[in-house]
Amino acid sequence: MDGTALKSLASPAVEYRVTGALILATGIVLGVAAVAIQKPGPAAFRFLFLAVFFGGIMYLATYQRFLRKAVTQARHLPDPVTREDPAATRRRAVRKALLLSIFEVILALLFRDAALVGGITAGGGAALLAASRWIERWEREQGVQVLREPRWRWSRQGRWGWGRGRGAMDPQDFYVVRSEGPSP
């Protein structure tokens, strides 16, 4: 920990699942709008291509690597720890996803290309859903529950005093505790 009081810990699987589902839905809505407004064939192709490409790239090149490092380097916490209520985690994730969705709609309007923005957005949402499933599977296999201090890391100290944070997937915010049962 960085010397500050530890916030209530939340399940990243729940957070990523809710955020991913809502972001995926936003992307799909933008894709449907693109097909309705633009030339349907090319818009649908661009949307699907970008969703698969960016979803795959985000998951394989980024999320999978960051998550594996975060959970394998997670610190063990003794019980009891203060845990955020799963309903509160879902509410927080919904607020974050709604803000991101508004931003994505604004981008689609600015770029005048809902297929482009929708495809990238849908791919990112699908990648978060895959990340959520990966965490849940890892928890079952290890017999632990992964918890995360809900924060966003803009930067972290690297070997030479500089570095960049990994947002909501920074290993220093992850903890594991022995599982009390299925994750929420």
Side-chain angles (χ1 to χ4, degrees), residues 5-30:
L6 189 65
K7 295 179 183 179
S8 294
L9 301 179
S11 167
V14 170
E15 183 179 354
Y16 298 160
R17 181 174 53 241
V18 171
T19 304
L22 292 174
I23 294 300
L24 176 61
T26 299
I28 291 170
V29 168
L30 289 170

Side-chain angles (χ1 to χ4, degrees), residues 30-113:
L30 289 170
V32 168
V35 169
I37 295 168
Q38 301 167 344
K39 294 179 182 177
F45 175 78
R46 244 182 14 262
F47 170 80
L48 291 172
F49 175 77
L50 290 167
V52 170
F53 180 77
F54 279 97
I57 293 294
M58 285 301 292
Y59 183 72
L60 295 173
T62 306
Y63 292 175
Q64 187 180 50
R65 182 170 44 100
F66 286 175
L67 281 174
R68 182 171 285 118
K69 187 173 184 176
V71 300
T72 59
Q73 292 182 1
R75 293 175 274 189
H76 290 273
L77 282 180
D79 275 329
V81 295
T82 306
R83 297 179 191 202
E84 184 177 70
D85 179 54
T89 302
R90 287 189 282 277
R91 284 191 302 273
R92 185 172 42 78
V94 165
R95 283 191 305 270
K96 180 172 91 174
L98 288 175
L99 287 173
L100 287 170
S101 295
I102 291 168
F103 178 71
E104 297 298 337
V105 169
I106 291 169
L107 285 179
L109 292 170
L110 287 175
F111 288 120
R112 296 181 183 184
D113 192 347

Side-chain angles (χ1 to χ4, degrees), residues 165-179:
R166 294 203 172 124
M169 295 182 186
D170 201 300
Q172 60 188 317
D173 296 326
F174 280 72
Y175 302 89
V176 292
V177 293
R178 287 285 144 215
S179 184

